[in-house]
Amino acid sequence: QVPLKPGRSLMDWIRLTKSGKDLTGLKGRLMEVTEDELAKHNKKEDCWICIRGFVYNVTPYMEYHPGGEDELMKAAGTDGTDLFDQVHRWVNYESMLKECLVGRMAVKPTAAPKGEDFKKEIISIISLSCFHITSFSKTGEGLQLFSSVISAQFFCQICLASVSYDWFQTDSLIVIVIYTKQKDMIAELVIVDCEDKRLRGEIIVGDHSYLIEVDLDHAVQEDLAVNVAEKVGKVEIILKKKDNIHWKMLGQPSERHNTFIKCTDRGLFYRKCKLVSKTEVTHDTKLFCLMLPKSTHLRIPTGQHVYLKQIIAGTEVVKPYTPVLPFLPLDFKEPSCSADGHIYLMIKIYSCGLFTEALDHLQIGDYIYVSNPEGNFKTSQVQTLEDLFLLAAGTGFTPMVKLLNSALSTVSHLRTVKLIFFNKTEDDILWRNQLEQLALKDERFEVQFILSQPTEDWVGKQGKISSSLLSEFVKRSRKDSNVLICICGPTPFTEQGVQYLKDLGYSQEEIHAFTA
């Protein structure tokens, strides 16, 4: 993020969009935009961007963009969909830029292949793919060659063929069974919501998503159950009938039902969660406890985040947060997790922050929308570790909480876990007492607090992230030890930290930066 000029906050932008001012320059007229026309508008004083087929005049938004004008200019006069998805797919641009809508992109006519040519092309692709699978399946090269020659559409169809579902009923239950054929299927990869007879079940398979979405034939009770047979990849969704009657069908499928697509193409799904507690952690940070609906099955994987959504002044505003545990466990005989059905979020309240102030004003019993989890961290990254280093600045500590717990409780060869925690002052340190207790309790864990604005009586380390500081604290326990260094904090902190680590000789595979 970059510092914005006074009067250029999110609230100021919302006010401008509601002022009635013509932000498109077209006096309310929508137009069909060709690629040539779009390309003409590629300057800061005249900037159009296409996102998912819709064209927006973002010129008036330039000074309000938290990421700065240069970031917007990367997509000026072009289709910025891919860039947008890489940086902040979670932002509701339709709501934020609705007053900047110029129109739709003109559909570019393409000549469809003739019947026989098309048929030959399909047969050729399938034959070649089958050859590669048959010839190279033992070495693993087949799948690589197969995916390189077959289109994404065919790939998804073939994967869909390997994922299937069925359902059956008893006098009181409806049971939907999904066969994923994935041997590492776990409960965290299954997300189920059932509201007003609409059942939505999503199974994560690698970087793809399989979806069941049905308007049920009859009403069901609120509570549901999910069983996962990990070794065979079978998932059961168990619903209780409201009335013990025989169902003739499961229900009416939606357009998205029984589809298998990339997770990034699926789009975010939100459910309403109730705020059940709000406790002070430091002078400006609070621990929010949100309760999931009874009809939701959701487990947040370690290292992943969710998005909170609020309607502020009629505009949808979304922010990412990483769930934590309700407290830091001190006994690691078994993995611990937060109570089922609750999500804990440690959030810093900014005095001029539109979103966090609205969040802080929520009363116990109020509701807020919470998305499905996202993130590219894989717990498999820590299973063979010997040394784990966690570099956190401020609330960049939040993804480290579950990671710390997971590593200390499940990684058998772990020698050292070191948290290097950067803050401005002593009062800013989150869970300091718990971290110090953990360091006394578990000899594998060490915490180092570093302050950039300490008081005179501070006897610990001071400064900001630097190459010399990292070379002092980030050291392998032995020459060739398997190491992972995780880093999270404000963007400049993370970017500088990653570069310093690379300069110190750590590889890209040994560094994971948490970003959202």
Side-chain angles (χ1 to χ4, degrees):
Q1 293 194 347
V2 299
L4 299 174
K5 296 177 185 175
R8 295 296 183 270
S9 68
L10 175 58
M11 194 67 227
D12 292 316
W13 172 251
I14 291 172
R15 288 194 192 100
L16 179 60
T17 62
K18 296 183 182 304
S19 67
K21 188 175 179 180
D22 178 18
L23 300 182
T24 64
L26 299 175
K27 298 179 180 177
R29 178 174 57 90
L30 293 177
M31 62 183 287
E32 194 173 56
V33 183
T34 63
E35 285 186 10
D36 289 343
E37 180 63 31
L38 177 63
K40 293 176 186 175
H41 304 270
N42 62 353
K43 303 176 183 65
K44 282 187 179 180
E45 59 277 8
D46 179 21
C47 182
W48 291 8
I49 292 175
C50 174
I51 305 176
R52 292 192 176 86
F54 290 93
V55 178
Y56 299 90
N57 180 356
V58 298
T59 314
Y61 183 60
M62 282 283 178
E63 293 186 342
Y64 297 84
H65 184 233
E69 296 179 0
D70 291 343
E71 285 299 308
L72 280 180
M73 286 305 298
K74 288 178 181 177
T78 67
D79 187 332
T81 305
D82 289 343
L83 184 63
F84 175 83
D85 284 344
Q86 288 169 23
V87 181
H88 36 43
R89 184 174 75 89
W90 44 273
V91 172
N92 189 333
Y93 64 91
E94 296 105 322
S95 177
M96 294 284 288
L97 299 175
K98 60 187 174 185
E99 298 304 322
C100 299
L101 180 63
V102 171
R104 278 183 178 273
M105 280 297 291
V107 179
K108 198 173 180 180
T110 55
K114 293 179 181 178
E116 280 306 309
D117 293 339
F118 182 65
K119 208 178 290 180
K120 285 177 184 175
E121 188 180 334
I122 298 302
I123 291 169
S124 171
I125 290 174
I126 293 174
S127 301
L128 183 58
S129 304
C130 293
F131 168 74
H132 284 316
I133 289 175
T134 306
S135 303
F136 299 103
S137 59
K138 289 183 181 177
T139 64
E141 292 177 63
L143 184 59
Q144 188 178 352
L145 286 166
F146 168 66
S147 59
S148 68
V149 296
I150 200 163
S151 69
Q153 184 179 359
F154 278 112
F155 178 72
C156 287
Q157 286 175 348
I158 285 166
C159 289
L160 180 57
S162 69
V163 181
S164 60
Y165 83 99
D166 202 351
W167 73 283
F168 65 88
Q169 62 184 307
T170 66
D171 288 343
S172 59
L173 301 175
I174 295 292
V175 182
I176 298 103
V177 186
I178 300 110
Y179 304 95
T180 70
K181 300 180 183 174
Q182 302 292 311
K183 291 183 180 178
D184 54 355
M185 182 55 57
I186 55 175
E188 289 179 337
L189 301 176
V190 181
I191 305 166
V192 182
D193 291 272
C194 191
E195 185 180 9
D196 298 330
K197 291 173 61 177
R198 166 60 68 98
L199 173 70
R200 185 186 191 278
E202 186 172 358
I203 317 291
I204 307 302
V205 182
D207 60 355
H208 281 69
S209 152
Y210 174 73
L211 186 68
I212 282 182
E213 192 172 71
V214 179
D215 285 325
L216 298 170
D217 206 31
H218 298 281
V220 293
Q221 295 180 35
E222 270 191 330
D223 50 331
L224 56 79
V226 172
N227 295 330
V228 179
E230 296 182 10
K231 290 182 180 178
V232 294
K234 185 175 79 170
V235 177
E236 291 182 343
I237 301 171
I238 303 167
L239 308 173
K240 294 179 183 177
K241 294 178 179 177
K242 250 189 179 172
D243 302 305
N244 293 347
I245 58 176
H246 182 78
W247 289 26
K248 293 181 179 178
M249 59 186 293
L250 182 60
Q252 191 64 39
S254 74
E255 288 183 6
R256 296 179 294 272
H257 175 67
N258 199 30
T259 56
F260 187 92
I261 63 174
K262 277 195 169 183
C263 293
T264 50
D265 295 333
R266 179 67 74 189
L268 290 172
F269 179 82
Y270 290 85
R271 77 276 301 146
K272 279 202 307 185
C273 295
K274 183 192 285 188
L275 177 63
V276 293
S277 72
K278 184 168 51 172
T279 54
E280 213 168 82
V281 179
T282 67
H283 62 100
D284 63 0
T285 302
K286 295 183 179 179
L287 185 67
F288 292 78
C289 177
L290 304 174
M291 185 169 68
L292 291 162
K294 284 184 179 179
S295 55
T296 292
H297 168 90
L298 176 65
R299 307 283 184 271
I300 315 293
T302 296
Q304 295 204 2
H305 54 269
V306 296
Y307 298 100
L308 299 188
K309 180 170 71 173
Q310 298 186 87
I311 309 299
I312 301 174
T315 298
E316 207 173 85
V317 185
V318 177
K319 294 287 181 185
Y321 294 99
T322 304
V324 298
L325 300 172
F327 54 87
L328 204 58
L330 299 177
D331 188 354
F332 294 104
K333 289 177 183 175
E334 290 184 8
S336 60
C337 60
S338 58
D340 280 352
H342 293 82
I343 295 174
Y344 293 87
L345 298 166
M346 197 180 286
I347 298 174
K348 182 175 179 178
I349 310 300
Y350 293 90
S351 57
C352 298
L354 180 68
F355 192 89
T356 57
E357 281 196 331
L359 197 59
D360 195 31
H361 286 143
L362 290 177
Q363 301 298 307
I364 303 302
D366 286 348
Y367 287 85
I368 187 167
Y369 289 95
V370 180
S371 79
N372 285 358
E374 277 201 346
N376 58 7
F377 184 82
K378 306 294 181 189
T379 50
S380 57
Q381 292 174 248
V382 302
Q383 291 311 310
T384 58
L385 281 186
E386 294 168 86
D387 302 323
L388 175 62
F389 295 94
L390 309 173
L391 311 180
T395 48
F397 168 64
T398 55
M400 310 308 180
V401 175
K402 282 190 174 183
L403 181 52
L404 185 61
N405 178 59
S406 174
L408 289 171
S409 58
T410 65
V411 182
S412 56
H413 300 292
L414 196 65
R415 283 197 182 89
T416 58
V417 179
K418 186 179 286 188
L419 170 65
I420 300 136
F421 199 179
F422 296 82
N423 286 279
K424 287 182 179 178
T425 70
E426 280 188 82
D427 291 339
D428 296 323
I429 301 173
L430 303 167
W431 280 359
R432 178 179 181 178
N433 186 45
Q434 293 188 48
L435 289 167
E436 289 175 336
Q437 282 186 48
L438 178 58
L440 291 172
K441 180 93 174 177
D442 195 313
E443 61 182 13
R444 296 171 298 171
F445 176 67
E446 180 185 338
V447 61
Q448 183 73 51
F449 301 116
I450 299 174
L451 304 183
S452 60
Q453 298 175 16
T455 55
E456 289 182 2
D457 56 351
W458 172 252
V459 294
K461 278 280 178 182
Q462 55 183 289
K464 295 185 177 182
I465 192 166
S466 65
S467 183
S468 60
L469 192 148
L470 292 183
S471 64
E472 180 182 350
F473 291 112
V474 181
K475 294 177 181 177
R476 298 176 193 269
S477 58
R478 61 183 182 83
K479 188 179 178 182
D480 299 318
S481 66
N482 193 353
V483 65
L484 179 66
I485 307 165
C486 295
I487 183 166
C488 187
T491 302
F493 170 87
T494 303
E495 289 178 349
Q496 288 169 16
V498 168
Q499 190 56 56
Y500 291 145
L501 291 168
K502 287 180 179 177
D503 292 344
L504 290 170
Y506 293 98
S507 68
Q508 185 66 52
E509 291 70 33
E510 293 174 323
I511 303 168
H512 181 87
F514 288 103
T515 56

